[in-house]
Amino acid sequence: MNSIILSKTEQIKTDSDYLAGKIASELQNSNPYFEENEVQLLKFHGTYQQYNRDTATELKQKGLEKEFYFMIRTKIPAGLLTSKQYIEMDDLTNEFSDPSLRITTRQTIQFHGVLKGNLKKIINTVSTMLLSTYGACGDVVRNVTTIAAPINDQIHKQLRNDALKISSHFLPSSTSYGQIWINGDKYEYSDKEKKEPIYGKLYLPRKFKIGITIPEDNSVDVLTNDIAIFLIFKKNQLLGYNIAIGGGLGMTHNKPETFPYLAKPLLFCNPLDLIQVLEQIVKIQRDYGDRTNRKHARLKYLVAEEGTKWFKRLIEYKLNKNFDNPLKLNNLKVIDHLGWHEQGDGKWYTGIFISSGRIIDNKNKKIKTGLRNIIKKFNPSVTLSTDQNIILGNINKKDKNNIDQLLEQYSIVKKNISKVDRWFLACPALPTCGLALSEAERVRDEIVRKVEEILLKHNLQDEKFSIRITGCPNGCARPYAGDIGIVGRAPNLYALYSGGDFEGTRLNKKILDKVSYQDLTQALEQIFLLFKDQRKDNEPLGDFCNRVGTDIQFKKIKEVLDDKIQ
């Protein structure tokens, strides 16, 4: 480690005293922001320093300071909340942040618009809910995801229990978090011994994501994770787990050495070996991952360069045990959990669509007020999904009509949600995210409306496919794994991708490097026209685009947009 030049972030971690840094002292000063080293460390504690990018230029011209605020991300394994925890989070937004709760694509809740002086209040209060923000961001194992449906059978119980167990095992051990945010003024830098038996002093080279599911329901997009786990059940008996490694979607424009990647099959292990196999994978990434270049530091690059056989041999050597190759799986499927479903124990659950995961009241909908009132009145279980929706469970059959009436009263549920609206994901992007190059969430609904009109015009409104948009190439809304991906390129410009599959087993490919927002839906219309004219039988859109290739799609778009595209 001493013979290589560490990246700046690695040096910050090295000098941080296990993530403590000077966060505690900087919390006490009057600045509305933290210094750069602490900004990096704050991510491990679950918060990002941001500023209002809508007002930054004007304020700078006036010689004034940016409007700094923070995003706080909770860690909610499997997206599981009690009704009490949900209400308490809702309470926090009414006092210490902007008035919205945002469901992420990793089954967590984010608070936005938090002022520096309120950071401790929110993080401390979250801890009293028996939840945490520790490790929700940063170079550690982040929130562990699984199927959100609260189905009460042996398989789904096992998935939830495994997600909780995995999350607990990889929680950072350093006491810095508790000393800074929970114990308040009792924090002392040198009196407490800090250790990280799994992560070590440098933690991981980059963020690390784990998801677990079954082949019959890949609603979690499991192959986009660093570790993708498939639970294998046969005749009501848990046989073990297929492990795949190396998923990750972040890349950088104009840098072909960076790329999105789906997890590759590694091995099969029995239930007793699961945690130790996962730990060895994490430790291999810790010891062999690139710490000199953050853009080359994810596990996927190690997998792409060394191969899964190398990983398997190393795990077997470390554990002194041989493992079988992965079992053959059935084709992956995606189950839609919106609407009413039986849980399997006499109770019901309902999946509620939340556009961009943003729980907020506006002039047209009272999503925040309505959900709060329903949850307070009926005391359901609450589960957050990886497609940014919310599921209320443990509901008595006799209460279904009353809940439906309230959902309609607050205009929360659309009576006839279109397929394009249902399967369209967006990241927050501007004005909060510091990495955003263009809009995403704020233009989502307008794109949906325009695409709906185009599909209706060409009698394609019943086609099911996914569209995902992000404001930058880091891929938080998983654009490269959708049938169609729209990725921010520069202000008002996007790269356009197509040819992924709905089940999440194939990445899409870039058609256009740059298309303006104004021309985006016209470009999409040309793809839809090509699809309508040349599809085979009931071929899905993603399969069609993958079959015909990017050149034909580019030429079709160019017929209309000509030199407006690249």
Side-chain angles (χ1 to χ4, degrees):
M1 189 62 67
N2 295 329
S3 63
I4 62 175
I5 300 175
L6 296 175
S7 68
K8 182 180 178 181
T9 302
E10 292 300 312
Q11 196 59 55
I12 291 171
K13 290 187 286 183
T14 301
D15 300 337
S16 73
D17 188 23
Y18 292 93
L19 308 181
K22 297 179 181 178
I23 294 174
S25 60
E26 290 196 23
L27 270 171
Q28 306 302 319
N29 68 35
S30 60
N31 294 332
Y33 55 84
F34 288 84
E35 299 299 331
E36 178 57 29
N37 285 9
E38 278 54 55
V39 169
Q40 298 303 319
L41 297 177
L42 281 168
K43 295 175 185 178
F44 291 83
H45 297 259
T47 184
Y48 279 74
Q49 179 169 294
Q50 301 175 331
Y51 63 90
N52 189 335
R53 295 180 61 187
D54 283 346
T55 62
T57 300
E58 182 182 352
L59 289 172
K60 183 178 181 180
Q61 291 171 347
K62 293 179 179 179
L64 299 175
E65 195 167 60
K66 299 173 183 174
E67 293 180 275
F68 285 99
Y69 42 56
F70 296 80
M71 179 272 285
I72 295 176
R73 182 182 298 154
T74 55
K75 199 169 188 182
I76 306 172
L80 297 170
L81 291 170
T82 65
S83 55
K84 183 174 183 293
Q85 287 169 330
Y86 178 88
I87 294 300
E88 288 174 342
M89 286 196 182
D90 186 77
D91 287 340
L92 287 172
T93 65
N94 295 329
E95 191 171 358
F96 299 123
S97 72
D98 80 12
S100 72
L101 286 167
R102 192 176 195 279
I103 304 170
T104 77
T105 55
R106 292 204 64 79
Q107 296 185 281
T108 65
I109 288 285
Q110 287 181 178
F111 300 93
H112 288 267
V114 180
L115 298 179
K116 181 183 174 186
N118 290 332
L119 279 174
K120 198 167 187 176
K121 295 169 185 173
I122 291 182
I123 294 174
N124 187 288
T125 303
V126 167
S127 74
T128 67
M129 304 175 196
L130 303 181
L131 296 170
S132 180
T133 66
Y134 201 15
C137 322
D139 301 338
V140 292
V141 173
R142 298 194 180 182
N143 204 51
V144 180
T145 59
T146 192
I147 297 169
I151 298 169
N152 209 2
D153 61 16
Q154 191 176 357
I155 293 174
H156 290 81
K157 285 180 183 177
Q158 185 72 47
L159 286 170
R160 292 189 286 270
N161 289 338
D162 284 340
L164 293 170
K165 186 193 303 182
I166 295 166
S167 181
S168 178
H169 185 77
F170 289 107
L171 189 69
S173 298
S174 168
T175 56
S176 297
Y177 179 86
Q179 292 168 326
I180 294 171
W181 307 105
I182 313 303
N183 296 333
D185 296 335
K186 296 178 182 178
Y187 182 86
E188 296 175 3
Y189 283 97
S190 59
D191 287 0
K192 296 286 185 181
E193 184 180 9
K194 306 182 186 76
K195 293 181 179 180
E196 288 288 2
I198 295 177
Y199 295 122
K201 190 175 182 179
L202 288 178
Y203 295 83
L204 299 179
R206 282 292 262 123
K207 59 187 174 185
F208 201 100
K209 299 177 180 179
I210 299 177
I212 180 170
T213 192
I214 52 176
E216 294 77 14
D217 186 2
N218 189 31
S219 55
V220 302
D221 256 346
V222 73
L223 295 175
T224 62
N225 289 271
D226 293 86
I227 300 179
I229 307 168
F230 289 98
L231 185 73
I232 310 296
F233 253 84
K234 194 169 185 180
K235 295 180 180 178
N236 292 322
Q237 181 181 356
L238 175 61
L239 298 184
Y241 304 87
N242 269 11
I243 309 294
I245 57 172
L249 297 184
M251 49 84 80
T252 303
H253 291 305
N254 298 329
K255 290 189 179 292
E257 66 272 21
T258 68
F259 46 81
Y261 205 66
L262 293 181
K264 302 299 182 282
L266 177 68
L267 57 80
F268 171 83
C269 71
N270 66 50
L272 294 178
D273 290 329
L274 176 64
I275 294 297
Q276 61 177 348
V277 167
L278 299 183
E279 182 175 317
Q280 288 306 316
I281 296 170
V282 170
K283 286 181 174 178
I284 291 171
Q285 165 66 351
R286 178 196 69 189
D287 296 340
Y288 293 89
D290 191 346
R291 294 185 183 271
T292 66
N293 178 7
R294 301 263 308 162
K295 295 184 184 300
H296 185 257
R298 287 290 296 273
L299 179 70
K300 63 182 175 182
Y301 297 111
L302 198 56
V303 174
E305 291 159 14
E306 298 291 347
T308 54
K309 290 182 179 178
W310 177 84
F311 261 90
K312 186 170 182 285
R313 285 196 301 267
L314 196 51
I315 292 167
E316 289 173 339
Y317 171 77
K318 296 282 188 182
L319 296 178
N320 192 28
K321 183 174 185 176
N322 292 327
F323 292 95
D324 291 334
N325 290 325
L327 302 181
K328 182 175 176 57
L329 298 179
N330 295 326
N331 292 337
L332 302 192
K333 299 177 182 178
V334 174
I335 303 298
D336 188 355
H337 297 290
L338 291 191
W340 286 103
H341 304 265
E342 293 187 67
Q343 279 184 189
D345 58 359
K347 298 292 184 71
W348 291 73
Y349 73 87
T350 184
I352 300 169
F353 175 76
I354 307 291
S355 177
S356 298
R358 186 73 67 175
I359 299 173
I360 193 169
D361 289 347
N362 58 40
K363 62 181 180 181
N364 298 318
K365 299 179 179 181
K366 301 298 180 184
I367 300 174
K368 191 164 184 281
T369 298
L371 283 178
R372 180 185 179 92
N373 290 344
I374 290 168
I375 290 169
K376 285 191 77 171
K377 181 174 182 179
F378 296 97
N379 195 35
S381 65
V382 178
T383 314
L384 314 173
S385 73
T386 55
D387 53 1
Q388 301 174 296
N389 298 318
I390 191 167
I391 295 177
L392 306 183
N394 291 332
I395 294 169
N396 295 317
K397 186 176 182 179
K398 65 181 179 63
D399 294 326
K400 287 174 59 183
N401 287 338
N402 289 333
I403 290 174
D404 280 339
Q405 289 172 9
L406 289 170
L407 291 171
E408 185 175 348
Q409 176 184 326
Y410 291 104
S411 302
I412 297 173
V413 171
K414 293 183 179 180
K415 286 186 177 180
N416 296 302
I417 184 171
S418 71
K419 286 184 171 63
V420 67
D421 196 4
R422 164 65 185 95
W423 299 107
F424 197 123
L425 297 181
C427 73
L430 298 170
T432 56
C433 180
L435 299 175
L437 303 172
S438 52
E439 297 282 359
E441 181 182 345
R442 292 197 296 193
V443 297
R444 177 203 181 277
D445 291 351
E446 183 177 43
I447 295 174
V448 167
R449 180 180 56 77
K450 290 180 178 179
V451 171
E452 286 173 341
E453 291 173 356
I454 291 169
L455 294 175
L456 187 62
K457 181 170 70 172
H458 300 295
N459 198 30
L460 293 170
Q461 67 273 16
D462 293 328
E463 298 297 325
K464 184 174 73 172
F465 55 87
S466 59
I467 302 180
R468 285 116 182 241
I469 184 171
T470 56
C472 83
N474 286 312
C476 292
R478 306 191 293 274
Y480 313 109
D483 292 276
I484 291 175
I486 304 167
V487 179
R489 194 71 176 77
N492 203 47
L493 290 175
Y494 296 86
L496 182 61
Y497 297 73
S498 75
D501 68 331
F502 190 80
E503 292 74 28
T505 66
R506 183 180 62 234
L507 294 175
N508 49 36
K509 297 173 184 175
K510 184 159 67 174
I511 313 169
L512 304 180
D513 187 49
K514 292 177 183 175
V515 60
S516 72
Y517 177 72
Q518 289 75 17
D519 295 327
L520 177 61
T521 51
Q522 196 171 3
L524 289 172
E525 183 172 15
Q526 304 317 302
I527 297 174
F528 300 146
L529 284 171
L530 201 63
F531 171 60
K532 182 178 180 180
D533 292 341
Q534 299 184 20
R535 73 186 300 192
K536 293 182 177 179
D537 299 323
N538 293 317
E539 187 177 31
L541 177 66
D543 288 354
F544 167 79
C545 292
N546 182 63
R547 176 174 61 81
V548 301
T550 56
D551 289 347
I552 289 177
Q553 294 172 76
F554 179 83
K555 289 175 184 176
K556 179 67 174 175
I557 296 169
K558 193 170 177 61
E559 289 176 5
V560 175
L561 295 178
D562 197 20
D563 59 356
K564 291 182 179 181
I565 59 171
Q566 294 182 31

